[in-house]
Amino acid sequence: AQSVTQPDIHITVSEGASLELRCNYSYGATPYLFWYVQSPGQGLQLLLKYFSGDTLVQGIKGFEAEFKRSQSSFNLRKPSVHWSDAAEYFCAVGAGTYKYIFGTGTRLKVLA
Amino acid sequence: KAGVTQTPRYLIKTRGQQVTLSCSPISGHRSVSWYQQTPGQGLQFLFEYFSETQRNKGNFPGRFSGRQFSNSRSEMNVSTLELGDSALYLCASRGTGGRSPLHFGNGTRLTVT
């Protein structure tokens, strides 16, 4: 079955520290992978996407993600977190041409 | 380019009533999808419309329906509202091509009392 797992419901980091949010997917074919961010009361904003090619993709706001086929993972990273990064982050897989499956999200808290 | 616009931002309804939510996609986008977001269930896919036709449907009861107009604007209707329908309803549009990402609006917060 197609699925996306974000094992961490909540993560707390100090401002300036590095960040890694985990995402594992289950999908039979080559996946299209996305990370979105949602601030309170807002919609989801696309951070980055992976379709093919270079397995390390750069996104907006200084985020990057690495696709590892052998581990079925697409983890999101940022070298130095800012207080404004506090939000909820969603990993998603494009399962087929028109279907998207979202993870349950990871809520990031940033300590000053 | 204007983003996805959803109206209204907030709604308060009573059980048994019906409600209509509206979504205007990004100009040129012909696909519009609707999602329900709740703290317990996360993002759940409702349906997708493309060129006025429903192309995909999630696992929701028939009380949830939608439509798309020739200008790609979409509406979602929920009839006989239940308390459990309280949620953030998100609309997303996407361009043509299987790899196009979803672009979301800011949602409509529906509260059913």
Side-chain angles (χ1 to χ4, degrees), chain A residues 32 95-100, chain B residues 25 28-35 45-59 65-69 72 74-75 92-103:
Chain A
Y32 306 145
T97 305
Y98 309 117
K99 187 177 177 183
Y100 296 81
Chain B
H29 286 190
R30 292 160 63 190
S31 167
V32 174
S33 300
W34 289 90
Y35 289 80
F45 172 72
L46 281 154
F47 28 66
E48 183 207 5
Y49 285 86
F50 180 83
S51 293
E52 302 179 66
T53 301
Q54 188 180 88
R55 193 158 61 176
N56 282 297
K57 190 177 189 303
N59 189 27
S65 63
R67 59 178 177 169
Q68 186 180 33
F69 301 95
S72 294
S74 177
E75 287 182 348
S93 72
R94 59 191 290 269
T96 54
R99 302 181 177 190
S100 299
L102 296 171
H103 297 270

Side-chain angles (χ1 to χ4, degrees), chain A residues 36 38 41-43 51 100, chain B residues 9 37 94 99-100 102 105-106:
Chain A
Y36 286 86
Q38 184 180 34
Q42 302 296 314
F51 295 149
Y100 296 81
Chain B
R9 286 297 309 274
Q37 185 179 28
R94 59 191 290 269
R99 302 181 177 190
S100 299
L102 296 171
N106 285 330

